[in-house]
């Protein structure tokens, strides 16, 4: 009997360990620039969010897939193809059941032939709700909306929205699109015109109906700020905007499609005019922004849970050109895609203070630009 109890104790301990390890084993998808380097396209890794151990699993060939995103069910990966010479477009990949391989790629250009050649140029951001895929096209100064078939693969472009400058000297540069927490609206940042646009999102629209309607300016920043990326607080009451050129982070209250400025606080410490990405820790307590070109690094802020305001608590130096970064779902690690250092730095987060410590791990990837986490089976 004693031997049986010992066996059962060991067995259940081992079972718990295996389950725990599986729960913490993530699939990490990495987008890259293939031009000017040796990258094949998109890379898939195992990443253990408890101990930081990683393993290369596979790669998928794609041209300049600088930004990637997963479908809500994790069965499809979508990527931009960032060009401005007619090769630009968007990809869809099927994700294998074991999350290792990306297969059955579909590529579509970001503008039909009747549009001007620059339309859809340099798609740099992509989102999907499982029914539509939307790309923000930087140089084109426009947005492309694609439908998806029942298998989740890209179909034709169903809507194309172009923007014009506030003055003849201004050129629109759409950098980010993001759904609001209530899923009723889509927000788009225009770095060239210093605006955030809002659209009604009609994701249940019928054939030949417009997906994005009722365009309006939801927020206008000061000239020269250059709004780049947006993220929302965990409770959906606040939006946080990082301005690429001015280096400020803006706190905006959000209610029923309306944005109202609450706070502006400097994030960039180098004056490089290259602020890039913005994310909130999974527990909602800390906000992080990345900065390039001078004093490359990550700014760290504490979030007031009631007011939504920010207090700067630190600045962590990183490798060269931290264009994008990701935080593991458990909040333990923050990974930075250092494009010009050809590596992804792995930092461990202090979940109590929000501060970061560089680990000995570094993932060598040629020209990495985007990190997305998915769960492993």
């Amino acid at each position: 009997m004693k031997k049986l109890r010992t066996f059962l104790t060991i067995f259940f301990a081992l079972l718990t360990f295996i389950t725990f390890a599986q729960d913490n084993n993530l699939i990490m998808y990495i987008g890259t620039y293939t031009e000017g380097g040796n990258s094949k396209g998109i890379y898939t890794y195992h990443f253990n969010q408890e101990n930081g151990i990683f393993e290369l699993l596979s790669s998928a060939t794609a041209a300049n897939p600088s930004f990637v995103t997963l479908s809500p069910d994790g069965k499809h990966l979508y990527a931009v193809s960032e060009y401005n010479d007619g090769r630009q477009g968007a990809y869809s990949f099927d994700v294998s059941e074991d999350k290792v391989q990306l297969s059955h790629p579909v590529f579509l250009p970001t503008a039909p032939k009747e549009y001007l050649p620059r339309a859809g140029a340099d798609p740099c951001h992509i989102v999907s709700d499982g029914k539509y895929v939307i790309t923000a096209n930087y140089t084109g100064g426009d947005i492309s909306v694609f439908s998806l078939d029942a298998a989740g693969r890209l179909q034709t472009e169903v809507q194309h929205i172009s923007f014009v400058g506030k003055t003849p000297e201004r050129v629109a540069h759409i950098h980010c699109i993001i759904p609001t927490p209530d899923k009723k609206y889509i927000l788009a940042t225009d770095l060239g015109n210093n605006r955030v646009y809002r659209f009604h999102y009609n994701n249940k629209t019928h054939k030949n109906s417009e997906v994005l309607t009722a365009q309006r300016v939801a927020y206008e920043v000061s000239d020269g700020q250059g709004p780049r990326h947006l993220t929302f607080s965990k409770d959906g009451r606040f939006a946080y905007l990082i301005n690429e050129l001015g280096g400020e982070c803006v706190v905006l209250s959000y209610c029923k499609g309306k944005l109202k400025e609450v706070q502006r606080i400097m994030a960039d410490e180098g004056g490089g005019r290259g602020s890039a990405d913005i994310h909130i820790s999974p527990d909602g307590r800390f906000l992080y922004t990345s900065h390039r070109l001078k004093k490359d690094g990550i700014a760290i802020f504490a979030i007031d849970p009631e007011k939504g305001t920010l207090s700067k608590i630190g600045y962590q130096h990183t490798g060269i050109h931290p264009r994008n970064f990701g935080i593991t779902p458990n909040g333990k690690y923050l990974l930075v895609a250092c494009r010009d250092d050809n590596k992804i730095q792995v930092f461990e987060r202090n979940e109590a203070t929000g501060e970061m410590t560089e680990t000995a791990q570094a993932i060598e990837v040629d020209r990495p630009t985007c990190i997305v986490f998915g769960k492993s089976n």
Side-chain angles (χ1 to χ4, degrees):
M1 182 62 71
K2 185 177 180 180
K3 289 183 178 180
L4 178 61
R5 284 199 299 267
T6 301
F7 171 78
L8 290 174
T9 299
I10 295 173
F11 173 78
F12 284 113
L14 182 61
L15 184 63
T16 300
F17 172 78
I18 292 173
T19 302
F20 178 76
Q22 288 177 335
D23 288 344
N24 285 288
N25 214 22
L26 306 173
I27 298 293
M28 180 170 63
Y29 302 94
I30 300 172
T32 68
Y33 279 121
T34 55
E35 293 290 314
N38 298 309
S39 171
K40 295 180 180 179
I42 301 169
Y43 293 85
T44 306
Y45 279 79
H46 264 145
F47 186 86
N48 188 294
Q49 65 174 339
E50 183 56 34
N51 58 28
I53 294 174
F54 57 87
E55 176 190 11
L56 175 63
L57 299 176
S58 64
S59 63
T61 300
N64 272 6
S66 62
F67 205 93
V68 301
T69 190
L70 281 169
S71 62
D73 61 10
K75 294 182 179 180
H76 308 281
L77 185 89
Y78 305 102
V80 301
S81 183
E82 190 176 339
Y83 288 99
N84 60 16
D85 56 5
R87 291 181 290 169
Q88 62 266 17
Y91 291 97
S92 65
F93 293 88
D94 293 352
V95 178
S96 63
E97 290 185 8
D98 58 7
K99 307 294 191 299
V100 173
Q101 298 288 340
L102 300 178
S103 59
H104 304 294
V106 175
F107 175 80
L108 288 176
T110 53
K113 292 180 181 179
E114 60 265 26
Y115 281 97
L116 296 174
R118 68 168 294 182
D122 285 320
C124 60
H125 193 249
I126 188 167
V127 294
S128 178
D129 64 352
K131 187 169 183 180
Y132 294 98
V133 164
I134 308 174
T135 65
N137 309 319
Y138 182 80
T139 304
D142 44 33
I143 291 173
S144 297
V145 182
F146 297 92
S147 61
L148 297 170
D149 65 15
R153 298 174 186 174
L154 279 172
Q155 299 298 290
T156 57
E157 186 182 64
V158 295
Q159 190 176 8
H160 195 93
I161 301 171
S162 297
F163 300 84
V164 296
K166 288 191 293 186
T167 67
E169 295 76 27
R170 289 284 177 85
V171 176
H173 290 306
I174 308 303
H175 215 303
C176 166
I177 57 261
I178 183 172
T180 56
D182 53 22
K183 310 300 182 186
K184 294 180 179 180
Y185 304 96
I186 292 289
L187 301 179
T189 60
D190 183 347
L191 184 146
N193 286 309
N194 295 295
R195 287 173 170 173
V196 177
Y197 299 103
R198 190 200 75 186
F199 298 87
H200 282 285
Y201 182 42
N202 308 307
N203 66 341
K204 296 180 181 179
T205 187
H206 299 291
K207 188 176 181 180
N208 299 324
S209 298
E210 292 186 329
V211 179
L212 302 181
T213 60
Q215 175 186 330
R216 59 159 290 179
V217 177
Y219 176 68
E220 195 154 358
V221 302
S222 304
D223 281 353
Q225 282 292 322
R228 182 177 170 104
H229 274 233
L230 273 164
T231 192
F232 278 91
S233 61
K234 194 173 182 180
D235 61 12
R237 295 189 301 126
F238 298 97
Y240 297 88
L241 170 69
I242 185 64
N243 291 317
E244 177 172 343
L245 304 179
E248 286 186 339
C249 187
V250 183
V251 183
L252 302 160
S253 64
Y254 174 78
C255 183
K256 297 180 180 179
K258 295 182 179 180
L259 297 173
K260 184 178 179 181
E261 185 179 306
V262 174
Q263 179 192 22
R264 290 167 59 177
I265 184 170
M266 181 56 69
D268 184 17
E269 292 192 358
R273 296 175 63 81
S275 300
D277 204 9
I278 183 168
H279 292 287
I280 294 174
S281 59
D283 61 10
R285 297 178 57 204
F286 300 98
L287 179 138
Y288 300 83
T289 57
S290 64
H291 307 276
R292 309 162 295 167
L293 306 181
K294 291 182 180 179
K295 199 176 180 179
D296 298 64
I298 304 288
I300 309 166
F301 298 89
I303 301 175
D304 184 300
E306 296 300 322
K307 300 178 182 178
T309 52
L310 302 175
S311 300
K312 198 168 187 179
I313 60 174
Y315 193 93
Q316 175 65 52
H317 289 278
T318 66
I320 303 173
H321 208 93
R323 189 173 187 268
N324 174 262
F325 63 95
I327 304 173
T328 55
N330 68 353
K332 186 172 182 178
Y333 292 98
L334 188 152
L335 283 73
V336 183
C338 301
R339 190 195 70 182
D340 294 355
D341 262 344
N342 298 315
K343 69 179 180 181
I344 292 176
Q345 281 180 296
V346 181
F347 292 88
E348 189 167 353
R349 288 182 61 249
N350 184 315
E351 296 178 55
T353 68
E355 295 175 322
M356 302 159 52
T357 302
E358 187 175 4
T359 68
Q361 295 104 312
I363 304 171
E364 294 185 6
V365 181
D366 206 68
R367 295 174 63 77
T369 54
C370 184
I371 300 168
V372 170
F373 291 108
K375 291 184 178 180
S376 177
N377 286 343

